[in-house]
Amino acid sequence: MLFSFIKHPVLRFVGTFMLFFVLFYYSSIFYESITSPGGYYISFLDHYFNFIDWYRISLLESAHYLTNIMGYQSVVKGHYHLHIIHGYSVQLVYSCLGFGLISVWFAFLMAYPSGFNKKITWSIIGFSLISLLNIIRIAVLAIVATNIKRSDIEIHHTIYNVIVYIFI
């Protein structure tokens, strides 16, 4: 076990958690930076292994499907926008994807003393739940912005983070 030299289980948990959080969180930021044009850019990774873009598109397409089910016709424009027809758009940039929350979840699972199969099961459950909540947030935000005729609603990030941290 990582940090097995630390005898106190709480300190061992905290040390392992912090290590994995930093590893996951900053690895995703680094990967975003090398798959985005400008600066140090690796086009091969961007074209063939850009999991961040794939995740963004899956969130947008799922939110698009949800808004249509709720009676609001929408369209995904490019790789970043969900647009309600005759309404407002939601722009999904990197900070909206929830990689900080996902990093917290995976770091918690890595630090928690349990078996490998349980970690795999809970990683799938947690990732799915965080993604589902994000999809709902994106769809609801687009609908609310359209209904109240405002595109500058900023508190949604805070509300989403609080809700997901409560679930975690």
Side-chain angles (χ1 to χ4, degrees):
M1 169 136 192
L2 193 62
F3 294 118
S4 59
F5 61 91
I6 299 175
K7 300 300 178 199
H8 197 281
V10 173
L11 293 177
R12 188 171 41 244
F13 174 84
V14 170
T16 305
F17 173 81
M18 293 303 293
L19 175 74
F20 278 107
F21 173 74
V22 167
L23 178 71
F24 294 146
Y25 183 70
Y26 287 105
S27 294
S28 67
I29 291 173
F30 173 74
Y31 201 82
E32 169 69 9
S33 71
I34 63 173
T35 56
S36 299
Y40 188 74
Y41 173 64
I42 302 174
S43 63
F44 178 78
L45 293 177
D46 181 22
H47 290 7
Y48 299 107
F49 299 104
N50 194 342
F51 69 90
I52 295 171
D53 202 35
W54 299 337
Y55 184 61
R56 178 186 295 113
I57 291 168
S58 70
L59 291 175
L60 285 171
E61 290 293 339
S62 299
H64 159 69
Y65 182 73
L66 183 59
T67 55
N68 286 338
I69 287 175
M70 296 171 73
Y72 291 87
Q73 295 301 310
S74 64
V75 62
V76 175
K77 290 186 174 182
H79 290 252
Y80 292 92
H81 294 92
L82 173 67
H83 178 73
I84 301 288
I85 306 296
H86 306 298
Y88 286 95
S89 291
V90 172
Q91 181 178 6
L92 198 63
V93 295
Y94 178 80
S95 61
C96 302
L97 298 177
F99 279 109
L101 295 168
I102 293 167
S103 296
V104 166
W105 180 249
F106 286 146
F108 175 81
L109 289 175
M110 294 304 290
Y112 191 78
S114 67
F116 181 75
N117 289 338
K118 282 188 178 185
K119 289 181 187 218
I120 294 295
T121 301
W122 280 104
S123 66
I124 293 168
I125 291 169
F127 179 77
S128 299
L129 183 60
I130 291 169
S131 298
L132 178 64
L133 291 171
N134 206 358
I135 290 164
I136 293 168
R137 175 184 69 101
I138 294 162
V140 168
L141 179 64
I143 291 168
V144 167
T146 296
N147 285 334
I148 66 171
K149 310 277 190 263
R150 290 189 60 190
S151 62
D152 60 344
I153 303 170
E154 290 297 325
I155 196 167
H156 63 91
H157 278 273
T158 304
I159 293 169
Y160 168 71
N161 287 342
V162 167
I163 289 170
V164 173
Y165 280 122
I166 288 170
F167 274 105
I168 290 175

